[in-house]
Amino acid sequence: MDLIFNSYVLQIITMCSINIIIVLGLNLITGVTGQLSLGHAAFASIGAYASTLLMLNLGLPFFLALPLGALVAGVSGFFLGVPILRLRGDYLAIATLGFCEIVRVVFLNLKITRGALGISGIPHHTTPLIAAVLAILSIAFMFNMENSRFGLALKSIREDEIASEMMGINIAKYKIMAFAIGSAFAGLGGALYACQITFISPVDFGFMKSVEQLCMLVLGGMGSIVGVVAGSIILTSIPELLRFASEYRMVMYGIVLIMIMAFRPQGLFGNIKVNL
């Protein structure tokens, strides 16, 4: 019983670490740069499928397939960012949502991804230690980036694009770079997810997964790395902790979100800034 309990806790810790990595990427795009994305799960799926196919079809080792999956997702984010980041607000959100659906349908109809059947038999390489170490490294990377000139430029774009452009900041360049980096983090998290669950399907990366990731960001506090960590841990753990009330856990889950948004709209840790 203790062994089963410990394994269950370690699995939750692993999923918390994976979600932290993915939501850190979304925070860079939405929280820091101010570009609302509803298709973040698409980049996680690209990283998951790319790393999986590299391991299964080409025999690449896990620690080589992992960064390559992130790279493929980052490059996808770059090429998507070039045409759509001229859009703002709701229009950008709809465009990213459309991209998410396009990616899902493509994976559903490709023979190499086995369509709706998904890919099973993925090697289980993601351990709690690997996931936690990569999450810590990702947090440190994002802290340093946000406090660099690049990060300050992104924050200025979020506050006022016109003023930023007048100060000589290349708006398009910085937006695309932020989108590509954020997408790469999603791809890294997706690759870790694939090697944790050992099975992936397009259904795992639909629109609701993007909404779930956005909820983690909003709950913790947009633009706050501490908030990203807190929101990811809370919304990953709550569904598991509420399994005793399986019939009502999603209702309780929704009530918690509504209460927090009503009484703390800036998120639980939206005002907390930490400098390394």
Side-chain angles (χ1 to χ4, degrees):
M1 181 65 69
D2 289 340
L3 180 61
I4 295 175
F5 176 76
N6 290 336
S7 298
Y8 181 64
V9 171
L10 289 175
Q11 183 176 353
I12 294 176
I13 292 173
T14 304
M15 290 307 302
C16 286
S17 299
I18 292 172
N19 284 331
I20 286 171
I21 294 171
I22 294 174
V23 180
L24 279 171
L26 181 60
N27 182 57
L28 182 66
I29 297 170
T30 302
V32 178
T33 315
Q35 309 302 306
L36 180 59
S37 173
L38 292 179
H40 202 60
F43 300 105
S45 70
I46 291 172
Y49 273 100
S51 60
T52 296
L53 294 174
L54 288 171
M55 286 188 291
L56 296 182
N57 294 348
L58 299 181
L60 292 185
F62 170 68
F63 285 106
L64 182 57
L66 195 65
L68 286 177
L71 178 63
V72 172
V75 171
S76 302
F78 173 82
F79 284 110
L80 175 66
V82 171
I84 74 165
L85 287 179
R86 298 174 184 176
L87 304 174
R88 300 180 185 178
D90 298 341
Y91 300 102
L92 176 61
I94 293 171
T96 54
L97 172 59
F99 176 74
C100 184
E101 285 301 297
I102 289 171
V103 171
R104 186 182 65 83
V105 172
V106 168
F107 284 148
L108 275 173
N109 290 279
L110 285 178
K111 290 184 178 179
I112 195 172
T113 61
R114 300 191 62 193
L117 295 175
I119 301 177
S120 58
I122 303 171
H124 185 273
H125 291 305
T126 301
T127 64
L129 179 61
I130 290 174
V133 168
L134 288 176
I136 292 170
L137 291 175
S138 299
I139 291 169
F141 178 85
M142 284 296 183
F143 268 124
N144 290 326
M145 175 179 289
E146 286 193 21
N147 293 321
S148 66
R149 293 182 62 185
F150 178 76
L152 294 175
L154 295 181
K155 292 176 183 177
S156 70
I157 292 172
R158 177 189 66 195
E159 298 300 328
D160 193 325
E161 288 191 18
I162 296 176
S164 299
E165 193 168 16
M166 291 179 64
M167 293 297 292
I169 295 175
N170 188 328
I171 303 293
K173 172 186 172 183
Y174 279 95
K175 280 186 178 181
I176 292 170
M177 289 176 66
F179 207 83
I181 295 171
S183 301
F185 272 84
L188 176 61
L192 288 170
Y193 174 84
C195 290
Q196 165 66 13
I197 304 299
T198 69
F199 171 81
I200 54 174
S201 167
V203 178
D204 298 333
F205 304 98
F207 168 65
M208 290 310 299
K209 181 61 70 173
S210 293
V211 172
E212 180 183 325
Q213 293 159 2
L214 186 61
C215 284
M216 292 178 183
L217 177 59
V218 173
L219 173 67
M222 294 179 63
S224 168
I225 292 179
V226 176
V228 168
V229 175
S232 300
I233 292 174
I234 292 171
L235 291 192
T236 303
S237 304
I238 281 181
E240 302 300 328
L241 296 175
L242 295 177
R243 282 189 181 276
F244 69 92
S246 57
E247 295 181 1
Y248 305 103
R249 65 175 181 148
M250 294 311 295
V251 174
M252 297 168 68
Y253 179 82
I255 291 173
V256 170
L257 285 176
I258 291 172
M259 290 181 64
I260 290 175
M261 291 302 100
F263 298 104
R264 182 90 178 167
Q266 73 271 34
L268 293 177
F269 299 93
N271 296 328
I272 296 179
K273 308 294 180 183
V274 178
N275 296 321
L276 291 182

